Amino acid sequence: MDLSIVIVTYNSGEAVMRCLESLEAHPPSVASETIIVDNASSDGTPDRVRSRFPRATVMAGAVNRGYSKGVNAGMRTSSGRCILVLNPDIEVTEGSIDRLVSFMDAHPRAGIAGAKLLWPDGRVQPSCRAFYTVRALLLRRTFLGRLFPRARALREHLMSDYDHGTARTVDWVIGGCMMVRREALEAVGPMDERFFLYFEDTDWCFRMRQHGWEVWYAPESVMIHRWERSSAKSILSGPFVNHLLSMLRYYEKWNAMFRFMRRHRGVIKTSLFALSDAVMINAAFFSSYFLRGSLQRFFINELYPLDWYLIFIVFFNLVFILTFTATGLYRLRRETETAEELAAVVRATMIVFALLLTATYLTRIRIFSRAVLIGQACFTVVLVTAARRGIRAAHRRLVAASFDLRRVLLAGSEEEAAGFIDLLAGRPEAGIDIVGRVGDGEGALGPAEDLAAIVDRFQAQEVVLFPSMTSREHLLPLLAGPAAGSARLRIVSPIAGVAGPLLRSERIGSLDLLAIDRRAGLPATRALQ
């Protein structure tokens, strides 16, 4: 099969009928198949397509799974050496598909090619773009674009000064019309299904370029696109919300600032927990102080004014944070259970309570109410634990929404990598995004000796080393090389969890992974030498 045409529909019956009629009127000359993926339309699209175009394959879904999942489902069913992804609001013209196929044949490094798209009135549609910059994003997605329609950043993004008459490589083409080479699909992977709608095309083209494939604009192929920018209608509309979430996912995945945050996620998360703890510790003190004041009739001694406690407040903040640090409350793990964290908070708080109580007796200062200290200890346990669980719950929601995933590079054989990916398939809570594999064989991003460059190119945070890559000749350059300084190394090993304080462990399914911190890299390297 030379060509597979994949069209994803959702309540777009009229549009897809026009699209299929144009395909019937101007069919490709090569052997082809048409696959319609319907995302649970309520307008009867599947039945209409089956009755009018019986030769088309119709895949009717029970739920709206999103555009990228729909495209991927269609591509998995397809068999063509080239795959043409079309929006249902596209109308092909005479010879347009054949020209795209010929273009792919003439440009063997083209992973994706997009046709010239026209508005129904014949005007050229800006369907090839440069990657977004901050300025372009502001001009494109805010009222500033209307105030400065000829701004340079906007023109460069939309490629307004390009004549759209000659073929050229571009950063990306919109997903309304994308011809994809099968070999590129197998090397790069399908659309990222974290993008429900919007930015899946930008991300796909970005990944194509990362893997060394080219993205082309082929204006000799011309199609009509009855496109309506539904995301620009209202900030309260569903399409706008989907667009915003997809934009955030894209930038969280590839933006330099987010990359910096990912590389320093440990420091950022520790700081967040420390700040939360400090707020809760002080809230506990003031709650206890004012509760003691409201119950004055039950006490003999008077409660001293709050401003007398200022030095004490500074002191207990310092003692709390130091004690929380010393007892391991800032050695954060995603899999920490509520009972485990509660026990750790109780233990640390009791230590602090003992220290504060001892300090008040040793200094013989009578202004400090023991009742306030007891109340503060109780409130601290409740508030700190609740705040920490709240942060963890919020983080789980982020991970479930495909944010803050760990970008992991696999180092090993194809079989080892496939087994690990299968293991993760039912564990989205692990929050892992597999960027690819290094090693020998087909489908690898490169050999092990290129690991440092691959880590940098694909912005990997962690490298998982499988047994086939843990021999002395493989492990030594990984620990001593630049990759050890930019990504955490995790070794699949049955001794994980009992290897000492510098080597942290994690269990994913049936696999035990040993994490080598940077400071452990030098001793480990010396040991191997």
Side-chain angles (χ1 to χ4, degrees):
M1 183 74 69
D2 290 305
L3 177 66
S4 298
I5 302 172
V6 176
I7 304 172
V8 178
T9 67
Y10 176 68
N11 289 336
S12 51
E14 293 299 327
V16 75
M17 295 302 283
R18 285 194 300 266
C19 177
L20 292 173
E21 287 168 359
S22 71
L23 283 169
E24 187 177 61
H26 310 294
S29 60
V30 297
S32 65
E33 62 179 350
T34 301
I35 301 170
I36 308 298
V37 182
D38 186 77
N39 276 337
S41 294
S42 58
D43 62 354
T45 295
D47 292 336
R48 294 180 64 184
V49 172
R50 289 189 184 104
S51 62
R52 175 67 177 81
F53 302 96
R55 295 183 60 186
T57 299
V58 178
M59 302 172 59
V63 295
N64 183 2
R65 50 192 161 180
Y67 183 71
S68 58
K69 287 186 177 181
V71 170
N72 290 346
M75 291 194 298
R76 283 193 298 270
T77 304
S78 69
S79 57
R81 62 183 177 87
C82 287
I83 304 168
L84 178 59
V85 179
L86 289 180
N87 275 7
D89 53 4
I90 291 283
E91 296 175 26
V92 304
T93 61
E94 179 67 36
S96 58
I97 297 179
D98 286 337
R99 294 188 187 99
L100 265 185
V101 173
S102 298
F103 184 90
M104 298 297 282
D105 291 338
H107 297 80
R109 292 309 303 165
I112 290 178
K116 177 193 286 187
L117 301 183
L118 303 179
W119 297 103
D121 62 6
R123 291 178 296 121
V124 175
Q125 204 173 95
S127 58
C128 58
R129 313 280 177 85
F131 289 127
Y132 280 102
T133 63
V134 174
R135 290 182 180 179
L137 189 63
L138 289 173
L139 289 165
R140 185 77 174 146
R141 300 300 170 191
T142 70
F143 66 93
L144 295 175
R146 299 187 186 93
L147 296 178
F148 306 101
R150 294 295 299 166
R152 179 179 176 181
L154 189 58
R155 294 201 319 273
E156 290 177 347
H157 168 66
L158 296 176
M159 301 179 66
S160 303
D161 298 329
Y162 161 50
D163 64 5
H164 291 76
T166 55
R168 59 171 290 180
T169 57
V170 295
D171 285 349
W172 62 286
V173 294
I174 67 172
C177 172
M178 305 176 88
M179 179 79 80
V180 186
R181 189 184 304 276
R182 174 74 63 178
E183 297 94 321
L185 171 64
E186 293 174 350
V188 177
M191 286 186 173
D192 189 337
E193 295 185 355
R194 287 176 289 176
F195 298 95
F196 182 85
L197 186 64
Y198 307 113
F199 277 88
E200 68 288 319
D201 44 10
T202 315
D203 174 79
W204 208 16
C205 291
F206 188 92
R207 288 160 49 212
M208 286 283 172
R209 291 164 60 92
Q210 275 191 315
H211 283 78
W213 292 93
E214 297 169 346
V215 178
W216 280 82
Y217 178 72
E220 54 262 46
S221 173
V222 180
M223 301 183 188
I224 309 299
H225 189 197
R226 298 178 181 275
W227 181 36
E228 182 181 354
R229 278 189 65 202
S230 57
S231 63
K233 285 184 176 180
S234 168
I235 62 173
L236 299 178
S237 66
F240 179 84
V241 173
N242 283 327
H243 193 280
L244 178 61
L245 289 175
S246 292
M247 181 184 70
L248 290 174
R249 286 191 181 96
Y250 177 79
Y251 277 92
E252 193 266 343
K253 189 175 178 181
W254 300 118
N255 181 261
M257 180 185 71
F258 282 101
R259 182 184 184 185
F260 175 85
M261 293 172 65
R262 283 197 305 271
R263 291 186 63 177
H264 299 86
R265 63 190 298 167
V267 174
I268 293 173
K269 289 182 178 180
T270 299
S271 300
L272 175 61
F273 271 83
L275 177 61
S276 171
D277 290 345
V279 171
M280 294 300 105
I281 289 163
N282 284 276
F285 168 77
F286 287 107
S287 298
S288 179
Y289 178 86
F290 289 113
L291 178 62
R292 164 66 175 80
S294 66
L295 300 175
Q296 177 60 49
R297 64 183 181 276
F298 299 108
F299 293 89
I300 299 173
N301 296 327
E302 289 292 326
L303 181 64
Y304 289 92
L306 187 60
D307 57 357
W308 289 28
Y309 281 81
L310 292 180
I311 296 177
F312 176 71
I313 291 173
V314 174
F315 177 67
F316 77 63
N317 272 277
L318 181 62
V319 172
F320 261 111
I321 296 300
L322 289 177
T323 304
F324 277 26
T325 302
T327 55
L329 277 169
Y330 298 122
R331 291 196 290 269
L332 303 170
R333 296 179 296 117
R334 288 190 180 189
E335 61 272 19
T336 301
E337 298 291 338
T338 301
E340 179 184 353
E341 191 154 54
L342 174 60
V345 172
V346 169
R347 182 173 61 253
T349 303
M350 291 303 99
I351 293 173
V352 173
F353 175 72
L355 291 174
L356 294 179
L357 198 61
T358 301
T360 59
Y361 276 110
L362 291 178
T363 56
R364 298 183 180 278
I365 300 177
R366 300 297 183 185
I367 67 167
F368 305 128
S369 169
R370 286 8 174 218
V372 171
L373 291 181
I374 295 172
Q376 182 184 15
C378 296
F379 280 121
T380 295
V381 169
V382 174
L383 295 178
V384 167
T385 302
R388 281 174 164 252
R389 300 322 296 178
I391 293 174
R392 292 186 183 277
H395 185 256
R396 284 194 296 272
R397 287 181 174 272
L398 284 176
V399 171
S402 302
F403 288 99
D404 194 35
L405 303 185
R406 291 181 288 170
R407 295 181 59 78
V408 174
L409 185 64
L410 306 181
S413 68
E414 187 175 355
E415 292 75 17
E416 289 170 326
F420 188 75
I421 292 172
D422 289 342
L423 194 65
L424 291 175
R427 294 176 172 82
E429 69 279 0
I432 292 178
D433 176 24
I434 302 297
V435 300
R437 178 181 69 87
V438 296
D440 301 325
E442 188 177 351
L445 300 177
E449 49 266 30
D450 294 340
L451 179 64
I454 294 171
V455 164
D456 183 66
R457 178 153 52 104
F458 290 91
Q459 302 182 17
Q461 299 164 254
E462 299 178 2
V463 179
V464 173
L465 303 175
F466 291 94
S468 64
M469 293 289 289
T470 54
S471 62
R472 186 177 185 275
E473 58 269 24
H474 282 129
L475 198 54
L476 182 59
L478 293 179
L479 291 174
S486 59
R488 180 189 294 273
L489 299 180
R490 292 185 181 272
I491 302 176
V492 177
S493 170
I495 68 169
V498 294
L502 292 181
L503 304 179
R504 296 178 60 185
S505 65
E506 178 182 12
R507 186 173 182 83
I508 298 179
S510 59
L511 289 183
D512 291 304
L513 286 80
L514 203 69
I516 301 181
D517 289 333
R518 297 176 188 178
R519 55 180 180 165
L522 183 58
T525 303
R526 289 173 177 170
L528 287 170
Q529 291 174 331

